[in-house]
Amino acid sequence: PSCRLPQFLSYLGACDRLLKQGYEEGQVEEAMEMFQYSEKKAAEFLHLLAQFNDMGFQQNEIKEVLLLCGNQREKALEELVMK
């Protein structure tokens, strides 16, 4: 069990940093899981999710498109506009 502690602490640190950026806890946990605990990819995803949400797109559609497009903003935006 002790060998997992550094990974867990790293995960908690990443979650904490993302929460401090104003993202919701549930979204942070979901994003971290979706991107195999990559803080960088989770942060990109959360940033784009918030951006597209502000544009009026539906959150479930945004998530789907971002996953399909690998967090590529322009590609994702094109997909969302075409829906």
Side-chain angles (χ1 to χ4, degrees), residues 32-71:
M32 286 293 283
E33 282 177 32
M34 285 188 326
F35 295 100
Q36 282 85 47
Y37 308 109
S38 162
E39 181 180 355
K40 184 178 184 279
K41 287 183 179 179
E44 286 171 359
F45 174 83
L46 291 165
H47 175 73
L48 291 170
L49 182 66
Q51 243 184 19
F52 292 144
N53 209 29
D54 288 345
M55 292 179 188
F57 295 108
Q58 296 297 311
Q59 206 164 66
N60 56 342
E61 284 183 0
I62 299 168
K63 286 179 186 179
E64 183 185 314
V65 166
L66 285 175
L67 282 172
L68 286 172
C69 297
N71 284 348

Side-chain angles (χ1 to χ4, degrees), residues 52 55 57 61 65 74-83:
F52 292 144
M55 292 179 188
F57 295 108
E61 284 183 0
V65 166
E74 299 308 313
K75 208 172 177 182
L77 185 56
E78 235 173 73
E79 288 289 325
L80 286 167
V81 170
M82 288 194 307
K83 279 190 174 233

Side-chain angles (χ1 to χ4, degrees), residues 9-50:
L9 292 175
S10 168
Y11 169 78
L12 286 180
C15 287
D16 189 52
R17 285 187 290 276
L18 291 169
L19 289 169
K20 283 180 178 158
Q21 291 177 42
Y23 300 115
E24 293 172 26
E25 191 172 346
Q27 288 182 332
V28 167
E29 288 173 0
E30 183 182 25
M32 286 293 283
E33 282 177 32
M34 285 188 326
F35 295 100
Q36 282 85 47
Y37 308 109
S38 162
E39 181 180 355
K40 184 178 184 279
K41 287 183 179 179
E44 286 171 359
F45 174 83
L46 291 165
H47 175 73
L48 291 170
L49 182 66

Side-chain angles (χ1 to χ4, degrees), residues 1-10:
S2 62
C3 63
R4 290 202 181 122
L5 189 60
Q7 286 175 308
F8 183 66
L9 292 175
S10 168

